């Protein structure tokens, strides 16, 4: 019986910039980051801040304008998607409607050079991992949204990629299901020790599933830290506002004494 394993690798960006076509403003502006192997790291930020572009550059679906990308310490900057050991799970699932669940999961294994028997066994192991062992003969149209998403996850997992990418994977699911599927993704990630880069604009989702969160704003990284660090010590007003149910006050620091300070907040004096 085949078993799905992890070939988890780290991801590193060195001063990566992406400028699309003739646009003047970069979609991603000189960002550097390091994602440890075996961790789930979220790219969190408002629409248009550059999350999808960052993810697609990891996959090799977009090429950098400048800078370097390393996966598992190897420079992959110029490698096309097909030569990178990365799988992506799309928001729309992107399942083949005319293929059964099993055929969808097997797709890709053939290209990766697995024999017929190995392909069958791996697909079975993948479907078991996502709890769909009894659904192999169905068509995608005979599944719920959450089940379709799990097929997409299985299809990515059986390739045992160095990095697994998710771009807003829960957007098409209703609120209750969203919570369950995100917990399932986190569980499989931890069980197999996968490197996952997970894009979302939902701070609650990011806080719930991540080892680390990279907050993006306007094509740059606003802060990079654990959920707790971001929540308790936001680096700036943008992060405070985006992460928490923050109450922000304008105040004036009138003097600093050692570790403390005297602050005027309206007519109040705080020490
Ligand atoms: N293929 C493209 N061609 C030109 N501009 C693009 C393309 N894809 C994204 N952009 C622009 O790049 C910026 C970042 O987009 P994107 O990475 O999709 O952000 P996010 O995923 O955070 O919403 C946006 O201003 C967007 O309009
Ligand atoms: Mg996006």
């Amino acid at each position: 019986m085949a078993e799905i394993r992890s070939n988890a690798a780290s991801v590193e960006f060195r001063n990566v910039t992406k400028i699309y076509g003739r646009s003047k403003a970069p979609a991603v502006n000189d960002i550097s980051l390091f994602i440890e192997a075996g961790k789930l790291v979220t790219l969190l930020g408002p629409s248009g801040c550059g999350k999808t572009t960052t993810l697609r550059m990891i996959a090799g679906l977009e090429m950098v304008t400048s800078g370097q990308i390393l996966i598992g310490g190897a420079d992959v900057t110029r490698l096309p998607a097909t030569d990178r050991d990365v799988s992506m799970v799309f928001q729309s699932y992107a399942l083949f409607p005319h293929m059964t669940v099993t055929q969808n999961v097997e797709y890709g294994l053939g290209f990766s050079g697995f024999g017929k028997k190995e392909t069958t066994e791996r697909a079975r192991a993948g479907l078991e991992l996502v709890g769909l062992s009894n659904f192999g003969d169905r068509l995608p149209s005979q599944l719920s949204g959450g089940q379709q998403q799990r097929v997409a996850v299985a299809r990515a997992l059986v390739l045992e990629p160095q990095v697994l990418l998710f771009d807003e994977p829960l957007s098409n699911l209703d609120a209750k299901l969203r919570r369950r599927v995100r917990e399932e993704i986190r569980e499989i990630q931890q069980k197999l020790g996968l490197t996952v880069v997970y894009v979302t604009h939902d701070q609650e989702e990011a806080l719930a599933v991540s080892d680390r969160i990279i907050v993006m704003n306007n094509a740059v990284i606003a802060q990079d830290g654990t959920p707790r660090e971001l929540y308790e010590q936001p680096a700036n007003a943008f992060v405070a506002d985006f992460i928490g149910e923050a109450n922000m006050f304008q105040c004036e620091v009138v003097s600093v004494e050692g570790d403390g300070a005297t602050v005027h907040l309206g007519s109040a004096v705080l020490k």
Side-chain angles (χ1 to χ4, degrees), residues 70-93:
L70 293 89
I71 296 178
D75 191 332
V76 299
T77 313
R78 304 280 155 223
L79 285 187
T82 46
D83 293 343
R84 296 191 195 183
D85 193 1
V86 172
S87 293
M88 188 146 165
V89 176
F90 296 93
Q91 200 176 87
S92 58
Y93 320 139

Side-chain angles (χ1 to χ4, degrees), residues 51-52 167-168 199:
K51 305 181 296 294
T52 293
D167 193 356
E168 313 234 10
V199 162

Side-chain angles (χ1 to χ4, degrees), residues 13 18 20 51-65 69 71 76-91 94 163-167:
F13 273 35
K18 175 67 183 182
Y20 284 106
K51 305 181 296 294
T52 293
T53 301
T54 301
L55 209 64
R56 290 174 64 83
M57 287 194 290
I58 298 174
L61 296 169
E62 295 293 345
M63 288 291 141
V64 306
T65 304
I69 298 179
I71 296 178
V76 299
T77 313
R78 304 280 155 223
L79 285 187
T82 46
D83 293 343
R84 296 191 195 183
D85 193 1
V86 172
S87 293
M88 188 146 165
V89 176
F90 296 93
Q91 200 176 87
V163 186
L164 187 54
L165 308 175
F166 289 90
D167 193 356

Side-chain angles (χ1 to χ4, degrees), residues 13-73:
F13 273 35
R14 293 184 183 159
N15 303 100
V16 169
T17 293
K18 175 67 183 182
I19 302 172
Y20 284 106
R22 296 204 184 121
S23 44
K24 290 209 186 69
V28 166
N29 191 0
D30 192 23
I31 69 172
S32 295
L33 56 83
F34 185 82
I35 295 170
E36 262 181 88
K39 300 285 181 195
L40 190 158
V41 173
T42 301
L43 303 176
L44 172 69
S47 177
C49 71
K51 305 181 296 294
T52 293
T53 301
T54 301
L55 209 64
R56 290 174 64 83
M57 287 194 290
I58 298 174
L61 296 169
E62 295 293 345
M63 288 291 141
V64 306
T65 304
S66 62
Q68 249 186 325
I69 298 179
L70 293 89
I71 296 178

Side-chain angles (χ1 to χ4, degrees), residues 79-112:
L79 285 187
T82 46
D83 293 343
R84 296 191 195 183
D85 193 1
V86 172
S87 293
M88 188 146 165
V89 176
F90 296 93
Q91 200 176 87
S92 58
Y93 320 139
L95 300 177
F96 298 110
H98 60 288
M99 290 187 190
T100 65
V101 165
T102 296
Q103 286 167 341
N104 265 283
V105 177
E106 286 179 348
Y107 186 88
L109 284 168
F111 299 106
S112 304

